[in-house]
Amino acid sequence: MSRNNTGISKGIDPLMIWLYLLLVGVGILAIFAATYREGDPVISSFFSFKTDYSKQFFFFVLAAIIGTFILLTDSKFFTATANIWYAVGIFLLLLVFPFHSNVKGTESIIRFGGFQFQPAEFCKVSVCLALSKYLSRPDTDFTKGRSQLIATGIALLPAILSILQKETGLALVYFSFFLVMYREGLSPMVLVIGFTIAVLVVATIVMEPNTLAIILTVIAGLVLFLMRRQIKRRKSVAISIIFLWLICVSIQRFAVPFIFKHVLQKHQVERIFSLFGKDNPYSNLPADVANASAKKEGVNDYNVKQSKIAIGSGGFLGKGLLSGTQTRYDFVPEQRTDFIFCTIGEGFGFVGTTVLLSIYLILLFRIIILAERQRSVFSRCYAYGVAAVFFFHICINVCMTIGLAPVIGIPLPFISYGGTALLTFTILLFILIRLDADRQMVLR
Amino acid sequence: MSVFNQSRSYIIRLIFVAVFIVIIAQLANLQLVSGKYQQLAQENAVFPKVIYPPRGIVFDRNNKAIVNNTLAFDLMVTPAEVKNVDTSYMCQLLEIDTAQFRQRIINAIFRNGRYRPSAFEDLLSPEKYARLQENIWRFGSGFFLQERPVRTYPFNAGAHFMGYIGEVDSGIIARSHGFYRQGDFVGRSGLEGYYEKVLMGQRGIQYLIKDNKNRLVGNYENGELDTAATAGRGLRTYVDIDIQQLAEKLMSNKVGAVVAIEPKTGGIIAMVSGPNFSPDILTGYNFKKTYSKFVLDVSRPLLNRAIKGQYPPGSTFKPLGALVALDEGLITSSYGYPCGGRYYACGHGKPACTHSNAGHAANLRLAIANSCNSYFAHVYRMAADNPKYANVKDGYEKWKEYMNAFGLGIRLGIDLPSEDRGNIPDTSDYNKEYRNVWNSCTNLTLGIGQDKMTATPLQLANAMCIIANKGYYYIPHFVKAIDNETKKDTLLNRYRQRHNVLTGISDADYEVVSLGMQDVVERGTAVSARIPGINICAKTGTAQNFRIIRRKRIELNENSMFVCFAPRENPKIAIAVVVENAGFGSTSAGPIASLLLEKYLNDTLRAESVKKIEELANKDLMPSILKVEQHIADSMRAVEWFRITKDSSYIRKYTKPGSPAKKDSSTPKDQRIVKAQVEALQPKDFFSFSKKRVTTNE
């Protein structure tokens, strides 16, 4: 046991701890700035837990305690209980269906006593663990398609359940686990195909359907021309190219409109379209009404517009933490949670945002460095999982605030206000630290 | 496996870096490159509030405030921010219905767009303001109360020359090259209008911060960028508010004007126009109601007859005619004329004279005292036929020059807008009318203040000043000084220049004219104006008055004119009084002038004078023809209304009595009868502004 203890203190990566504390500190500061009103008594309200920043501090303390417990636990605990956690997570997700309470229009939260609890958040941890467990099994050959499918299934099952609970944003997080699978041997083609489809969807939204069809045809023709020698050798190449072309066009013509009309919810469609500055052609309104409402400032647009104003008005150095007019006067909705980045943007300007992003980048790189020095596959996969989740959150959240991504309810790790989020991320990170402390071991 | 996948680790790191670079690029775009976000943030959060300064105060000669300031409140609305408003409660507070509520919002959008505030209801009554102030928080950010300065009149006098304030219209905004903005108030007439730049002061701006609900939460940059409002500067006038009030009281229920000037400075002591009204009814929330009523009133209460009423001077002109002849050297004060009751020198025996006894015009003094028509007709002819000039046309031209020098036939340049210049016909007018064949006998009656000559009461008073001053005048004006006057205030420069008009008349001759006018009071037509202990010089006049109604020339009761100055030795005040439709000059105009003189010079009134005030004030001399004219005007309007809108509710009043007035639409027969009656009166019959030889009153 004492060997474990010394092992722990030797093995724990101090940089990680420091980064964690730094980010949480920034978070509390930002929430303070976002909710501070002139004349509020700072110290007394801090300890009375009425204000958001004091609540965040309280959550931090709670998370730190749990984190410490994690650090004191044996690593084997995690490998052993990974699947159990996964099962618990899925069970809780299923529990939401009958027992959910309607909070803010979502159907994914269970109310229990005075607490709110969103199982989908917790599943991030459990999926990370379970996926790593699966990928680290000696009899898993990831080059085989079957394993890949099972891994995908593990990763995406909570996603599907979340979509059914109308939490599309949260569901999208699970797609980031593809990154882990890529690291473990998934063909890069998957990523390329995913990327291409994304580009195609964007192109469908932005361009006229006919224009796009023509462009696709031209590209197909060009490819046929360029590969004519190979076609002469094997006819099947031509067939596959034509087949690809067919798929692209059908996606553009049928799949995308279908998804927009029937699968996605109206406000999500709105958000996606407003991201590109285009009117929504799928709203079931007659043309003139749609035009009129398009001219109005839509609610979906408002968040992003205000957020961009807030960030943009920060300039190079920012206005000072407490002097941001947009922050102080509540122009940006949801500023404590999803749009917390605006506070940094307005308060500290370009310098501040770049510094914050650098801190995040250092964090991500550190996680990857830790991942690469692991001996056990489990730890490595888990680390990549953590990196993927963090990356997804940071990227989408910041892009949301600057107008590069549609508005999804994704918090910024360690900074957004929210006990559940803070807890989840802390647990994710600390399990990693714990596993890293035992990097010399090969875990089963 | 982990070996060959090392490269993938680098790829993943690359993906991370690439995405972050894209994000930073966009941040750079938002924060560094594009400046519009700064501005948008400003617009979001900063609300520039216009601070209106208190308007300058106008004081009388004893530094009493004729007009003062108070605050009124408007309810403003920003249509785009009207959300979730309890409209029924607001309608209750404002005492309107929901349809009007909607209509007002639409009007506001039409006037100023959805995102700028417009007046939802202006000039709230104190009760409404109190109710709204308690409840304004209920109605969200779309509504707010704005205060506005409004004038009050402590002495309730001076409506005509003070003028009124109104909101700027697009014409004024355009002409001011953006200086005035929507919602500003400017003086629209009178002294408020003439001295607008002085009285207005300077707007200030206060930058306030508003939160996302448009509530004002504090000062922007601690008020460092605010500019303070500069209060308007006050005006010190020559007006004596006691005299003004007395004159207004005496002129109640009369049509006409009173102008009192201080000869040595040209300062106007009082100016009244009848019919008069209380200045309060054109301020604040009374304005709309009253203004439309006044415009439709045929007695035209808004017309300032003191500077716009055109009256033939009649006998009050005579001293001036004499002065011309004296200045030219054509007569001396001992010149006499043998008038036997008529003037025969032109052959037709016109004009007739009121006296026929011998010697009543033996010299200038007597001629003035007895107001001999022949004498002054002849004096005019002497001036027109002056041998110094080749023909009568040149002689008349010279005579006209004198008139213009006296301020007749030209605008004097008083510090009020829209002064009229009266009428001294040009030579070309007579040439046109008489086809170049005329002589001094043709327009002989000019000598006795008739023919085409008209003058405003202001001009008559000014002429008195010339006589009182013995040959000079200052342009009549109200304002003695502007508070904190600087070199840049050039408005008053022209009033400080002395105009010498008659240089060739000796003091002795002036004395004769004054004594003649004093005799008018002591022994002549103006004895009713006598005040013991004061030497008053006066001249009465009685001018004929015609109107054409229903194609008939109706002779109305004459206009009563009275001009005077006192005391003779050292004139301190000159007054001109015109009362329309009042008969002889001495009956109405004279006593009014006399009472004003007494009050001004003695400061107190005798007991009998006080009684006379009540008598005169209660005398109703409103021309009865006005009732007919009003009836005609109203019925014409009703017919027009019916013709355009097919709404017969107004016509019904004018249907012939005795014909069945049905509850539903009048029978066509009734309408035809009324229509026929009214149509029989041609429109041009009612408002005949013809320049023919009928004297018309405006």
Side-chain angles (χ1 to χ4, degrees):
Chain A
M1 221 30 190
S2 57
R3 200 164 59 107
N4 268 347
N5 277 338
T6 53
I8 289 174
S9 43
K10 269 209 205 107
I12 292 179
D13 184 41
L15 179 60
M16 205 61 102
I17 306 274
W18 283 119
L19 284 173
Y20 170 69
L21 291 173
L22 180 63
L23 285 170
V24 176
V26 170
I28 293 182
L29 204 63
I31 295 172
F32 172 69
T35 54
Y36 176 72
R37 296 282 164 268
E38 257 168 61
D40 287 351
V42 177
I43 307 294
S44 56
S45 55
F46 193 76
F47 290 113
S48 66
F49 298 128
K50 285 219 196 76
T51 57
D52 290 333
Y53 48 92
S54 60
K55 282 196 216 162
Q56 183 81 342
F57 183 74
F58 170 69
F59 288 132
F60 160 65
V61 170
L62 198 62
I65 293 175
I66 295 184
T68 321
F69 273 120
I70 292 175
L71 288 181
L72 292 174
T73 321
D74 203 298
S75 318
K76 291 217 186 66
F77 172 71
F78 298 109
T79 54
T81 53
N83 289 332
I84 300 177
W85 286 122
Y86 186 71
V88 167
I90 298 295
F91 175 67
L92 283 172
L93 266 178
L94 288 171
L95 216 62
V96 170
F97 284 112
F99 287 116
H100 68 264
S101 14
N102 215 328
V103 178
K104 274 201 197 167
T106 64
E107 296 175 6
S108 59
I109 297 185
I110 301 179
R111 270 241 173 89
F112 180 70
F115 292 99
Q116 278 179 202
F117 176 64
Q118 205 172 18
E121 284 280 342
F122 172 69
C123 273
K124 289 180 201 164
V125 183
S126 60
V127 165
C128 228
L129 288 169
L131 190 63
S132 315
K133 177 96 177 128
Y134 178 73
L135 290 173
S136 64
R137 271 178 26 182
D139 41 315
T140 308
D141 184 4
F142 205 58
T143 50
K144 293 231 184 61
R146 187 169 161 267
S147 323
Q148 292 173 349
L149 276 172
I150 294 179
T152 318
I154 295 175
L156 294 187
L157 180 58
I160 296 173
L161 289 174
S162 285
I163 291 181
L164 290 173
Q165 291 169 3
K166 304 232 178 50
E167 275 289 343
T168 328
L170 222 41
L172 286 175
V173 177
Y174 294 98
F175 281 88
S176 60
F177 285 115
F178 274 109
L179 217 57
V180 181
M181 291 191 266
Y182 168 69
R183 173 63 182 83
E184 292 309 311
L186 186 66
S187 157
M189 280 310 293
V190 178
L191 289 181
V192 172
I193 290 176
F195 184 68
T196 328
I197 293 183
V199 170
L200 198 61
V201 170
V202 169
T204 319
I205 294 172
V206 174
M207 290 198 271
E208 291 279 303
N210 293 325
T211 323
L212 190 57
I214 292 173
I215 291 181
L216 283 174
T217 319
V218 168
I219 293 179
L222 216 60
V223 171
L224 277 174
F225 178 73
L226 286 174
M227 295 184 61
R228 58 188 183 284
R229 249 192 264 132
Q230 285 173 318
I231 293 173
K232 278 206 195 118
R233 264 192 262 139
R234 288 198 303 166
K235 288 273 171 52
S236 56
V237 175
I239 295 177
S240 54
I241 291 178
I242 293 179
F243 186 61
L244 269 175
W245 171 79
L246 214 65
I247 290 184
C248 285
V249 173
S250 60
I251 287 180
Q252 177 231 337
R253 281 273 165 175
F254 305 113
V256 169
F258 177 78
I259 292 178
F260 277 142
K261 269 202 208 138
H262 300 287
V263 176
L264 289 180
Q265 289 179 308
K266 190 154 152 304
H267 69 269
Q268 292 162 332
V269 181
E270 288 281 351
R271 286 179 184 169
I272 295 177
F273 273 95
S274 64
L275 179 67
F276 297 106
K278 292 241 168 246
D279 305 332
N280 181 2
Y282 298 111
S283 60
N284 297 325
L285 300 170
D288 48 349
V289 180
N291 279 337
S293 58
K295 285 199 177 66
K296 266 197 289 190
E297 240 78 90
V299 179
N300 311 301
D301 206 23
Y302 182 75
N303 287 13
V304 178
K305 197 161 157 294
Q306 289 298 339
S307 158
K308 279 161 95 169
I309 291 177
I311 293 178
S313 66
F316 188 68
L317 280 177
K319 293 184 188 165
L321 185 62
L322 292 178
S323 316
T325 51
Q326 309 298 97
T327 309
R328 269 165 89 195
Y329 302 110
D330 287 339
F331 280 101
V332 184
E334 297 296 331
Q335 204 174 354
R336 308 163 314 165
T337 55
D338 296 346
F339 283 85
I340 192 76
F341 192 69
C342 301
T343 321
I344 311 287
E346 195 185 8
F348 297 114
F350 183 69
V351 169
T353 52
T354 316
V355 166
L356 181 64
L357 286 172
S358 323
I359 296 177
Y360 272 125
L361 199 60
I362 294 174
L363 179 71
L364 287 173
F365 268 52
R366 190 72 191 148
I367 295 176
I368 294 186
I369 290 174
L370 288 192
E372 288 305 321
R373 74 180 186 189
Q374 298 302 315
R375 276 225 190 140
S376 54
V377 180
F378 178 81
S379 309
R380 188 179 65 237
C381 289
Y382 180 79
Y384 271 103
V386 172
V389 169
F390 278 2
F391 174 67
F392 185 83
H393 280 264
I394 297 166
C395 176
I396 299 293
N397 184 290
V398 174
C399 285
M400 208 166 73
T401 61
I402 57 180
L404 288 180
V407 175
I408 318 173
I410 303 277
L412 196 59
F414 303 121
I415 295 190
S416 278
Y417 171 76
T420 327
L422 187 61
L423 210 55
T424 315
F425 290 127
T426 312
I427 293 175
L428 266 178
L429 194 64
F430 273 72
I431 293 180
L432 173 64
I433 298 176
R434 183 66 188 89
L435 290 173
D436 174 69
D438 282 342
R439 61 182 166 280
Q440 304 304 329
M441 290 170 36
V442 178
L443 300 165
R444 290 259 155 245
Chain B
M1 210 145 82
S2 55
V3 175
F4 99 87
N5 279 337
Q6 275 283 0
S7 58
R8 296 197 170 197
S9 144
Y10 289 116
I11 293 182
I12 291 181
R13 281 181 238 212
L14 202 65
I15 294 177
F16 285 177
V17 173
V19 172
F20 271 56
I21 286 179
V22 170
I23 292 178
I24 290 185
Q26 171 71 340
L27 279 172
N29 175 34
L30 284 182
Q31 292 181 310
L32 302 178
V33 173
S34 175
K36 72 170 186 172
Y37 291 102
Q38 284 273 19
Q39 192 199 340
L40 284 174
Q42 280 264 67
E43 275 175 27
N44 256 351
V46 179
F47 173 67
K49 180 174 180 199
V50 180
I51 309 279
Y52 288 104
R55 211 168 156 81
I57 300 188
V58 181
F59 298 94
D60 84 335
R61 67 194 302 128
N62 300 316
N63 288 326
K64 297 187 209 162
I66 304 180
V67 71
N68 214 328
N69 293 316
T70 185
L71 285 176
F73 293 91
D74 303 339
L75 180 63
M76 308 291 283
V77 65
T78 315
E81 282 152 35
V82 175
K83 294 185 179 81
N84 300 326
V85 166
D86 187 355
T87 41
S88 56
Y89 189 52
M90 168 159 278
C91 290
Q92 230 186 320
L93 288 179
L94 291 175
E95 292 160 20
I96 57 176
D97 61 41
T98 42
Q100 274 177 297
F101 182 93
R102 254 196 300 276
Q103 185 60 40
R104 286 188 192 184
I105 300 270
I106 294 176
N107 286 343
I109 297 176
F110 184 70
R111 235 179 310 147
N112 236 348
R114 318 190 72 151
Y115 298 98
R116 278 153 136 215
S118 322
F120 187 78
E121 178 160 333
D122 43 4
L123 300 167
L124 301 163
S125 67
E127 303 84 32
K128 273 193 199 166
Y129 170 64
R131 273 182 262 149
L132 279 170
Q133 210 188 13
E134 278 181 4
N135 292 298
I136 194 76
W137 57 271
R138 285 179 212 268
F139 304 115
S141 56
F143 289 95
F144 62 97
L145 290 166
Q146 184 170 290
E147 60 193 41
R148 178 169 25 125
V150 142
R151 296 297 225 179
T152 61
Y153 300 89
F155 292 96
N156 202 23
H160 278 111
F161 67 80
M162 279 309 305
Y164 61 91
I165 314 183
E167 195 168 340
V168 289
D169 57 29
S170 45
I172 298 181
I173 296 179
R175 267 174 278 144
S176 75
H177 302 295
F179 179 74
Y180 285 114
R181 293 171 221 160
Q182 194 71 255
D184 283 350
F185 279 82
V186 286
R188 299 293 291 263
S189 71
L191 290 177
E192 302 268 22
Y194 196 84
Y195 290 100
E196 166 64 22
K197 290 272 178 328
V198 171
L199 293 170
M200 187 187 79
Q202 193 78 17
R203 279 185 297 249
I205 299 204
Q206 198 183 20
Y207 289 104
L208 298 168
I209 304 200
K210 56 182 165 90
D211 68 6
N212 62 332
K213 290 195 173 45
N214 232 20
R215 297 176 294 209
L216 297 173
V217 286
N219 290 320
Y220 186 62
E221 303 281 346
N222 276 327
E224 273 164 21
L225 298 171
D226 297 350
T227 47
T230 337
R233 288 184 290 166
L235 297 173
R236 309 278 159 178
T237 64
Y238 290 102
V239 174
D240 186 329
I241 200 67
D242 296 323
I243 305 292
Q244 176 74 23
Q245 277 182 316
L246 178 59
E248 290 194 11
K249 182 166 183 182
L250 291 169
M251 283 298 287
S252 40
N253 286 323
K254 302 173 184 62
V255 180
V258 173
V259 179
I261 307 183
E262 185 184 27
K264 291 256 173 356
T265 57
I268 298 179
I269 298 171
M271 178 185 278
V272 178
S273 168
N276 200 7
F277 54 91
S278 158
D280 274 326
I281 59 179
L282 276 187
T283 62
Y285 58 103
N286 292 322
F287 181 84
K288 282 181 279 233
K289 275 187 286 173
T290 322
Y291 190 78
S292 40
K293 194 165 60 129
F294 278 177
V295 165
L296 296 178
D297 189 344
V298 286
S299 67
R300 300 180 65 174
L302 289 174
L303 185 72
N304 185 354
R305 287 170 168 85
I307 56 173
K308 288 183 84 74
Q310 322 240 6
Y311 303 102
S315 303
T316 53
F317 173 75
K318 287 173 185 165
L320 284 176
L323 287 176
V324 175
L326 281 171
D327 194 60
E328 297 252 86
L330 295 166
I331 61 169
T332 62
S333 48
S334 50
Y335 178 80
Y337 192 81
C339 167
R342 280 189 178 273
Y343 183 70
Y344 291 105
C346 278
H348 47 59
K350 288 208 193 112
C353 186
T354 43
H355 297 261
S356 48
N357 53 319
H360 69 264
N363 55 41
L364 182 56
R365 180 170 170 171
L366 282 170
I368 293 177
N370 291 317
S371 194
C372 178
N373 284 342
S374 313
Y375 188 95
F376 289 100
H378 194 73
V379 161
Y380 161 70
R381 286 190 63 220
M382 289 171 76
D385 295 334
N386 194 342
K388 224 198 297 185
Y389 304 107
N391 54 35
V392 70
K393 297 191 179 72
D394 290 343
Y396 175 77
E397 196 64 40
K398 181 69 185 172
W399 183 86
K400 177 169 177 284
E401 268 176 40
Y402 268 108
M403 292 300 114
N404 291 51
F406 291 153
L408 297 177
I410 56 161
R411 287 196 183 87
L412 280 168
I414 191 178
D415 50 1
L416 291 178
S418 59
E419 176 195 359
D420 273 357
R421 58 185 175 86
N423 185 31
I424 303 286
D426 203 43
T427 326
S428 52
D429 295 332
Y430 287 116
N431 286 341
K432 212 171 14 167
E433 187 170 345
Y434 298 106
R435 299 203 204 139
N436 289 332
V437 179
W438 57 277
N439 53 26
S440 58
C441 281
T442 324
N443 45 21
L444 153 87
T445 44
L446 280 175
I448 56 171
Q450 304 261 53
D451 198 79
K452 293 185 206 286
M453 179 197 293
T454 62
T456 62
L458 179 70
Q459 287 168 326
L460 294 176
N462 187 49
M464 282 298 109
C465 288
I466 300 176
I467 302 178
N469 288 332
K470 298 196 170 56
Y472 68 86
Y473 74 95
Y474 285 89
I475 299 180
H477 58 286
F478 281 95
V479 174
K480 190 173 5 183
I482 302 175
D483 284 351
N484 301 326
E485 195 169 332
T486 64
K487 283 229 179 50
K488 280 201 233 145
D489 294 309
T490 50
L491 274 175
L492 296 180
N493 288 351
R494 56 211 279 238
Y495 301 119
R496 297 185 177 142
Q497 280 176 352
R498 180 169 138 155
H499 296 259
N500 296 311
V501 285
L502 294 167
T503 45
I505 307 181
S506 65
D507 276 358
D509 286 338
Y510 272 118
E511 202 56 30
V512 166
V513 173
S514 313
L515 285 169
M517 291 175 73
Q518 190 179 334
D519 290 341
V520 173
V521 179
E522 307 276 313
R523 291 190 287 276
T525 51
V527 279
S528 57
R530 217 174 1 181
I531 302 174
I534 308 181
N535 292 331
I536 307 176
C537 304
K539 191 75 194 71
T540 59
T542 309
Q544 293 174 307
N545 195 2
F546 299 104
R547 207 79 74 106
I548 296 201
I549 303 218
R550 297 196 178 119
R551 291 214 197 115
K552 285 192 252 171
R553 191 169 181 255
I554 301 178
E555 181 163 347
L556 305 172
N557 216 351
E558 289 105 337
N559 292 341
S560 171
M561 331 261 291
F562 192 90
V563 294
C564 62
F565 60 90
R568 193 197 86 242
E569 312 79 45
N570 181 17
K572 292 213 174 66
I573 179 170
I575 308 185
V577 179
V578 176
V579 182
E580 293 187 27
N581 191 39
F584 287 113
S586 50
T587 43
S588 302
I592 291 180
S594 158
L595 286 166
L596 293 174
L597 282 174
E598 186 178 344
K599 177 88 174 118
Y600 187 72
L601 296 171
N602 282 347
D603 215 25
T604 54
L605 293 164
R606 302 165 287 161
E608 63 221 57
S609 306
V610 174
K611 248 193 289 171
K612 242 211 258 173
I613 292 178
E614 295 306 316
E615 274 173 39
L616 277 172
N618 292 330
K619 226 183 193 180
D620 185 344
L621 290 171
M622 296 296 280
S624 53
I625 198 70
L626 284 178
K627 289 213 189 66
V628 176
E629 287 186 336
Q630 186 75 49
H631 177 97
I632 293 172
D634 290 345
S635 56
M636 292 275 301
R637 224 185 349 264
V639 168
E640 256 325 280
W641 177 256
F642 172 73
R643 199 172 59 78
I644 296 174
T645 63
K646 305 285 178 257
D647 172 10
S648 61
S649 49
Y650 292 102
I651 268 198
R652 228 164 291 147
K653 256 198 285 177
Y654 301 99
T655 54
K656 221 153 82 168
S659 40
K662 293 214 176 74
K663 242 317 181 158
D664 46 19
S665 60
S666 321
T667 60
K669 185 159 171 268
D670 288 334
Q671 292 168 11
R672 271 189 270 124
I673 290 175
V674 171
K675 225 171 156 219
Q677 272 183 338
V678 174
E679 261 167 18
L681 316 161
Q682 299 281 326
K684 63 177 171 62
D685 289 350
F686 311 125
F687 306 108
S688 54
F689 301 128
S690 63
K691 290 219 164 69
K692 294 213 195 139
R693 258 191 250 104
V694 288
T695 60
T696 55
N697 291 312
E698 297 277 62

